Amino acid sequence: MTTKKNICIIGAGIGGLTTGLLLTKQGHTVHIFEKEKCVGGRARSFKGDDLTLDEYTSILSKTHMTLPFSDPPLDTIFEKKMLNGYTLDLGFHVIGGEVQTYLQQMLSPFKQQVNLLGSRLGYIHENGFNYPFLSKGDKFKMIPLILRLIFARESTMKQLDKISMTETIKKYGKGKMKLVLEVFPRVITTVNNLDTISTGETFRAQKNLLQGAKPVGYPQFGLTYISDAIVQCIIQNKGTIHLNTPVSGISITNGKATGIVADGKDQSFDAVISNTLVQDLFTIAQEKHFPSEYVNTVKSLEGTGSLCAYYSLKHVDARLLGKTFIFIQRNAGVNGNDAVGMIDFMTALPESRLSPQSHYLVQSYIICTPKEAKTKTTVDHLREILDNQLHQLIPEYRSNLDWALYPAIWQLDGVAKTITDIKPEIKTPVENLYLVGDCVKAPGVGINCALNSAQLVQAHMT
Ligand SMILES: Cc1cc2nc3c(=O)[nH]c(=O)nc-3n(C[C@H](O)[C@H](O)[C@H](O)COP(=O)(O)OP(=O)(O)OC[C@H]3O[C@@H](n4cnc5c(N)ncnc54)[C@H](O)[C@@H]3O)c2cc1C
């Protein structure tokens, strides 16, 4: 039987909230402390009507983002209230489709549900697009590899963990398979450099993709809808969420976490779970309690980056609505040489409820490194690529454009999942101190990693 504990979670991102819900379900007492006035962390949406220019730029800077371009200029967008009626996330977001079942299982006992709009992936090429990316004929040719993937054991995947995608492409990359192996590992990791992407990690994620009917999804009403639904369940289970309450310290005595400092008060807990960016851990936990190698490794971990674009259009061809497209830009001048990105029209569906009637929200992104996301000449070039790729799909899009926002991000994933960057384990060297979220070692990346890490923490607590 599980001993009931008094548990503190630092951060109400999607990883912290999910952990909170799973632990309240086990009967633990859970307190979640969030420094901001709202939940959701990086998976947060905001309503254009309520937003001021200052608030928008402040939200972006607090989440390691900036807005290098917009059309028209940002102050005009706000003066003319052009974002009224829109719901926006921080930047492009789609979720790995296998999450749908997980969310429903978690939320349905509480009579909560999240409707995920689902899409398959298409491909933008020089003369237009293919949808879906792989035709029946392509799949038929790839069946031997697909079957090997589906039935591969974890021990085989582990052997592939240290092999780079560049090596794998040299071995198996022929015809359409080469394109698949060049594109999907980049989408799955948000990293362009195939030398640093692990084959094991890619195949694991691809195996999950193959098992889901719709590989990518997006929640109706915006991303915050997921966090809000989880919050309702936590409250029903008598968990407590303290908003506007930054944690300023983790109390550690004799190698054991004993509580936190928040609101200027010491508060005792049986276990402390940090959902903050892992690189920030030592701003609230004293380094002297951890082995120095652990401190140095954690502090040096790098996230991933991208340039996103939101386009509000007056018209979208019905053939594109609800679909999501991948592209690869050769010789993009980025680390890894070629850059992959996506343009998504799930958000353009009227049932997404993200834009006023007769307006269509299209979201897109192109992968780059955190450093590239901060470099003016690189983002200039990446913007051009994004616009050109949209032009491939909608040649007349400029005459339909209401406005466009281009947020750049250098902490998309908390820690990049590469061969060189090893994400830290859920359990830290300090007893009763755990990590949760997209920075830690758990299956998938982004939101999927954050959700999966919550399950791992729950298993540790049991
Ligand atoms: C622009 C952009 C695009 C993205 N696109 C995708 C995508 O397409 N697909 C995908 O799967 N993922 C995507 N991601 C990544 C995804 O948003 C994250 O992986 C996920 O939201 C991380 O959740 P988390 O719970 O790990 O962390 P976070 O969301 O970062 O939550 C951490 C929380 O801790 C709080 N906090 C920090 N310090 C303290 C403190 N001292 N005291 C109290 N609270 C504190 C923060 O305010 C925050 O709310 C994207 C991210 C961005 C920014």
Side-chain angles (χ1 to χ4, degrees):
M1 212 178 75
T2 313
T3 321
K4 306 293 177 235
K5 289 182 178 157
N6 188 22
I7 297 172
C8 153
I9 299 174
I10 308 169
I14 202 151
L17 291 172
T18 310
T19 309
L21 176 56
L22 296 180
L23 294 177
T24 57
K25 271 171 133 179
Q26 286 189 316
H28 299 294
T29 303
V30 172
H31 286 263
I32 304 179
F33 293 84
E34 170 55 52
K35 70 178 167 64
E36 300 299 327
K37 62 179 180 195
C38 60
V39 299
R42 276 169 286 152
R44 173 196 329 174
S45 338
F46 37 85
K47 301 238 178 257
D49 303 47
D50 306 337
L51 198 67
T52 64
L53 173 57
D54 285 349
E55 275 166 351
Y56 184 46
T57 44
S58 153
I59 294 172
L60 292 181
S61 76
K62 279 184 191 171
T63 41
H64 309 272
M65 297 180 73
T66 176
L67 194 99
F69 324 99
S70 70
D71 185 3
L74 201 53
D75 39 9
T76 312
I77 290 184
F78 277 88
E79 261 161 42
K80 294 196 171 167
K81 300 190 183 306
M82 293 171 93
L83 300 183
N84 280 14
Y86 291 89
T87 300
L88 296 174
D89 301 330
L90 290 174
F92 174 102
H93 268 90
V94 298
I95 309 176
E98 76 270 16
V99 159
Q100 172 92 28
T101 322
Y102 177 48
L103 283 176
Q104 297 314 14
Q105 279 167 357
M106 190 165 64
L107 301 175
S108 58
F110 301 91
K111 311 245 174 310
Q112 295 287 327
Q113 78 171 59
V114 173
N115 285 335
L116 277 195
L117 306 164
S119 168
R120 285 193 277 165
L121 294 169
Y123 177 66
I124 306 172
H125 53 75
E126 278 166 17
N127 306 316
F129 64 87
N130 294 337
Y131 188 85
F133 185 104
L134 294 176
S135 66
K136 281 191 183 142
D138 293 330
K139 279 191 186 153
F140 187 73
K141 282 188 207 140
M142 289 177 197
I143 276 175
L145 186 76
I146 291 175
L147 287 177
R148 261 162 63 195
L149 264 184
I150 289 177
F151 294 109
R153 289 162 188 261
E154 183 50 29
S155 54
T156 313
M157 295 288 187
K158 278 216 165 93
Q159 283 169 15
L160 295 173
D161 272 342
K162 291 194 179 71
I163 298 178
S164 76
M165 277 313 299
T166 308
E167 283 179 60
T168 303
I169 290 170
K170 270 188 205 145
K171 225 169 168 181
Y172 301 103
K174 289 187 190 72
K176 191 87 180 246
M177 180 56 91
K178 181 160 187 276
L179 184 64
V180 169
L181 294 177
E182 284 176 332
V183 166
F184 282 97
R186 288 168 157 127
V187 172
I188 286 164
T189 55
T190 340
V191 170
N192 280 322
N193 188 346
L194 294 170
D195 293 346
T196 66
I197 304 178
S198 136
T199 301
E201 197 49 51
T202 304
F203 282 3
R204 236 180 247 118
Q206 215 143 356
K207 187 172 165 176
N208 289 340
L209 275 180
L210 289 169
Q211 284 163 354
K214 294 279 170 68
V216 288
Y218 184 85
Q220 210 180 12
F221 308 115
L223 270 184
T224 298
Y225 205 75
I226 300 181
S227 304
D228 287 347
I230 302 174
V231 167
Q232 292 310 315
C233 305
I234 294 174
I235 292 169
Q236 282 183 46
N237 263 5
K238 311 227 175 325
T240 313
I241 301 170
H242 308 262
L243 293 177
N244 276 322
T245 314
V247 168
S248 57
I250 298 176
S251 317
I252 301 171
T253 314
N254 298 329
K256 227 183 200 182
T258 54
I260 53 141
V261 184
D263 275 338
K265 287 186 295 233
D266 285 314
Q267 309 192 30
S268 298
F269 287 98
D270 299 320
V272 176
I273 302 169
S274 174
N275 177 219
T276 64
L277 282 176
V278 77
Q279 299 88 338
D280 294 347
L281 180 65
F282 304 108
T283 61
I284 50 173
Q286 285 186 312
E287 291 180 13
K288 66 177 184 189
H289 299 294
F290 299 78
S292 53
E293 202 188 325
Y294 184 83
V295 175
N296 293 337
T297 308
V298 165
K299 278 170 130 181
S300 70
L301 293 170
E302 280 239 317
T304 64
S306 74
L307 179 73
C308 308
Y310 280 113
Y311 304 93
S312 167
L313 301 178
K314 292 189 197 82
H315 174 75
V316 167
D317 185 332
R319 289 178 311 148
L320 300 173
L321 282 179
K323 297 182 174 137
T324 309
F325 296 89
I326 303 185
F327 63 83
I328 182 162
Q329 177 72 44
R330 303 288 176 187
N331 305 317
V334 292
N335 182 23
N337 197 30
D338 304 335
V340 160
M342 277 163 112
I343 303 187
D344 170 56
F345 293 86
M346 281 187 285
T347 51
L349 283 169
E351 56 266 39
S352 73
R353 308 277 178 88
L354 298 175
S355 49
Q357 259 188 356
S358 311
H359 293 262
Y360 300 85
L361 189 65
V362 178
Q363 54 167 356
S364 70
Y365 83 109
I366 180 160
I367 299 166
C368 60
T369 64
K371 198 170 157 209
E372 286 161 353
K374 295 182 201 168
T375 309
K376 172 91 176 66
T377 44
T378 313
V379 284
D380 276 347
H381 184 46
L382 296 179
R383 177 196 174 169
E384 239 172 76
I385 297 173
L386 281 177
D387 289 351
N388 287 340
Q389 294 292 339
L390 182 61
H391 182 263
Q392 290 291 113
L393 293 175
I394 312 179
E396 70 292 355
Y397 92 88
R398 280 184 197 284
S399 55
N400 276 324
L401 185 70
D402 272 325
W403 53 260
L405 296 173
Y406 298 83
I409 166 92
W410 49 92
Q411 204 92 48
L412 189 159
D413 246 294
V415 175
K417 208 167 209 175
T418 61
I419 290 178
T420 44
D421 257 9
I422 305 298
K423 290 189 173 198
E425 301 283 347
I426 302 284
K427 212 168 168 325
T428 71
V430 167
E431 212 179 311
N432 295 338
L433 176 62
Y434 300 87
L435 306 175
V436 77
D438 69 353
C439 294
V440 299
K441 203 181 273 178
V445 296
I447 291 176
N448 293 49
C449 180
L451 293 175
N452 288 326
S453 70
Q455 282 182 313
L456 295 180
V457 172
Q458 182 202 24
H460 266 289
M461 292 288 165
T462 314

